[in-house]
Amino acid sequence: MNKKKVLAMVTALALVAVVGIGATLAYFTDKADIQNVITMGHVDINLTENKVEKDADGEYVPVGETELTEEGLTFEDVVPGQTVPKNPTITVEEDSENCYVRATVTVESQDIDKDVLDLLTKKLTDQILSTAGSNWTYNDKDGYFYYGSELKAAEKAVLFETVTIPGEWDNAVADKSFSIKIAAEAVQSKYVDDVLVKDGEKVIGWNLTAEDIQEYEAKEEPKTE
């Protein structure tokens, strides 16, 4: 599935404004028309992570820094306590306006109990918030992780870098699978102070109305591990 997410306060469009300038003198009149074409900008982000492969010891390792995928990763024969590389990264595209970003992380399974999965969800949440230099804040009112500062074109925000399977898991999860779904969104950073919730200078929420949300571009399906 495509993991790209685009969320814009305005859509791309062109407007034409006609301004008439007139002056009346004693004996002469003059009039000139000027057409002004205004092209709206857009917000564009991408959600990727490094590809992985197994090394000689059978451990999953990243495949170079530039080997990226938008298709999600698959890990097989993982055991409790094992750590695998997974670094979902939000990148602002080169032609995008500056923006704020947020993300959701959801752990799901059709055959593992939710209370078992909640342990992994908590570990991932703690990992995101406790990483050295982390600029993420979790808003338990809407379930989003918010990146606290503005991102400019070509800048990145990494949600986490690894996933550690809880050592407390036991034979109850043997031969079963689960998915980590990640969805990312962005909103322009200029002229939106009235819809942002801040703690000092740090953004900790977007207080958007239903009408605001309707103006966003359609979202694609979230990222799946």
Side-chain angles (χ1 to χ4, degrees):
M1 288 182 289
N2 194 324
K3 313 310 176 297
K4 189 174 182 181
K5 295 294 169 186
V6 178
L7 194 63
M9 290 296 292
V10 294
T11 56
L13 73 162
L15 304 175
V16 177
V18 179
V19 180
I21 301 176
T24 302
L25 304 179
Y27 301 102
F28 305 101
T29 61
D30 186 27
K31 183 178 180 179
D33 291 332
I34 299 177
Q35 285 192 338
N36 300 282
V37 178
I38 303 173
T39 301
M40 306 299 292
H42 67 283
V43 173
D44 192 0
I45 60 174
N46 204 13
L47 180 59
T48 60
E49 58 193 350
N50 283 99
K51 294 181 178 180
V52 298
E53 63 183 0
K54 284 188 176 182
D55 62 14
D57 296 324
E59 296 291 333
Y60 283 100
V61 294
V63 183
E65 294 183 358
T66 59
E67 291 292 326
L68 305 178
T69 179
E70 297 179 352
E71 301 303 319
L73 302 175
T74 299
F75 302 90
E76 298 178 345
D77 300 323
V78 177
V79 298
Q82 183 175 348
T83 297
V84 295
K86 184 175 177 66
N87 62 337
T89 302
I90 303 169
T91 302
V92 181
E93 299 287 15
E94 293 280 359
D95 61 347
S96 174
E97 300 293 331
N98 296 352
C99 59
Y100 296 108
V101 300
R102 67 183 182 180
T104 57
V105 178
T106 308
V107 183
E108 298 179 350
S109 176
Q110 295 183 347
D111 49 14
I112 298 178
D113 292 341
K114 183 180 180 301
D115 58 344
V116 176
L117 297 177
D118 285 346
L119 180 58
L120 178 57
T121 301
K122 182 179 185 307
K123 284 181 177 293
L124 285 173
T125 299
D126 292 343
Q127 182 178 341
I128 293 168
L129 301 179
S130 64
T131 302
S134 174
N135 198 20
W136 293 98
T137 299
Y138 183 68
N139 189 327
D140 57 9
K141 294 181 179 180
D142 59 19
Y144 280 93
F145 292 92
Y146 287 85
Y147 197 73
S149 57
E150 174 189 71
L151 289 176
K152 300 178 181 178
E155 291 187 336
K156 304 175 184 292
V158 180
L159 200 56
F160 50 82
E161 295 185 345
T162 60
V163 174
T164 299
I165 308 304
E168 298 90 329
W169 284 9
D170 54 24
N171 286 340
V173 300
D175 296 323
K176 297 181 179 180
S177 62
F178 64 91
S179 297
I180 300 175
K181 295 185 176 181
I182 302 163
E185 302 171 359
V187 64
Q188 67 188 66
S189 55
K190 287 184 178 180
Y191 316 121
V192 291
D193 285 344
D194 57 335
V195 301
L196 299 177
V197 180
K198 291 186 174 182
D199 181 4
E201 293 299 315
K202 190 171 185 178
V203 174
I204 60 173
W206 302 344
N207 187 19
L208 301 177
T209 66
E211 289 74 16
D212 295 321
I213 296 173
Q214 288 177 356
E215 294 185 10
Y216 285 1
E217 297 179 9
K219 300 178 185 178
E220 299 172 12
E221 291 188 6
K223 187 174 188 179
T224 305
E225 180 185 67

